[in-house]
């Protein structure tokens, strides 16, 4: 198991739980909005906002944290993350904010303490990029978008 160290931002509500896995088989840990007392964020259709979590995290070298939408919010309300998956690098130590977008048809209220996204801890492999004259041949070749069938 990988340990992610967490600190709370100054002024964050300490009653808001840390990211947590809601079931034993969950791949993602739910992270919550940590808003000023009594505040909400209202998202009109098509609007996006940076939702604070009140947290800063320390990710071990060789790992990243991916930020992904919660499927229930996506299905029921059209709430998504426009940069999915968002990546938090192991050397970032700033505030953890989640870019939330309303792709639905109705106004949506993000409330204090609400689960807004899920965090996936994943290993990272870094590569070297080498300039070459040719690339190896494959059956697919340079066929792009939709070249292997419908969609």
């Amino acid at each position: 198991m990988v340990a992610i160290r967490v600190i709370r931002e100054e002024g964050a509500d300490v009653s808001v739980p840390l990211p947590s896995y809601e079931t034993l088989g969950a791949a993602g840990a739910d992270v919550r909005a940590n808003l000023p007392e009594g505040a909400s964020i209202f998202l009109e259709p098509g609007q996006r906002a940076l939702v604070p979590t009140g947290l800063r995290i320390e990710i071990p070298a060789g790992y990243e944290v991916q930020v992904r939408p919660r499927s229930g919010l996506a299905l029921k309300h059209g709430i998504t993350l426009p940069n999915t998956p968002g990546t938090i690098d192991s050397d970032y130590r700033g505030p953890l904010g989640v870019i939330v977008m309303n792709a639905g048809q109705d106004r949506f209220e993000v409330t204090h303490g609400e689960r807004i996204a899920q965090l996936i801890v994943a290993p990272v492999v870094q590569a070297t990029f080498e300039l070459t004259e040719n690339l190896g041949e494959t059956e697919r070749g340079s066929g792009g978008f939709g070249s292997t069938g419908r969609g």
Side-chain angles (χ1 to χ4, degrees), residues 41-43 47-52 82 97-102 110:
I41 296 174
F42 292 94
L43 293 171
Q47 189 177 14
R48 63 188 176 275
L50 182 62
V51 178
V98 178
I99 304 167
V100 177
M101 179 179 171
N102 183 353
V110 177

Side-chain angles (χ1 to χ4, degrees), residues 128-135:
T128 59
F129 295 85
E130 302 169 352
L131 190 59
T132 185
E133 296 294 320
N134 313 305
L135 300 177

Side-chain angles (χ1 to χ4, degrees), residues 1-127:
M1 183 163 292
V2 177
I4 304 294
R5 296 180 51 179
V6 180
I7 62 171
R8 294 191 192 274
E9 289 275 293
E10 186 174 328
D13 181 352
V14 299
S15 71
V16 173
L18 295 179
S20 61
Y21 298 95
E22 296 300 313
T23 66
L24 288 176
D30 289 343
V31 65
R32 298 171 184 266
N34 198 316
L35 306 174
E37 187 175 332
S40 291
I41 296 174
F42 292 94
L43 293 171
E44 299 297 333
Q47 189 177 14
R48 63 188 176 275
L50 182 62
V51 178
T53 66
L55 304 174
R56 291 178 186 244
I57 61 176
E58 181 179 321
I59 304 163
Y63 291 89
E64 67 166 328
V65 169
Q66 298 174 7
V67 185
R68 298 184 186 177
R70 294 192 62 241
S71 59
L73 288 177
L75 177 63
K76 296 175 185 173
H77 305 284
I79 301 304
T80 191
L81 311 182
N83 64 322
T84 299
T87 292
I88 305 170
D89 298 308
S90 65
D91 58 352
Y92 177 68
R93 296 295 185 271
L96 174 57
V98 178
I99 304 167
V100 177
M101 179 179 171
N102 183 353
Q105 298 175 348
D106 300 314
R107 183 182 204 206
F108 184 79
E109 179 183 10
V110 177
T111 59
H112 178 68
E114 180 169 12
R115 295 180 294 155
I116 54 168
Q118 55 183 327
L119 306 179
I120 310 290
V121 179
V124 171
V125 176
Q126 290 188 333

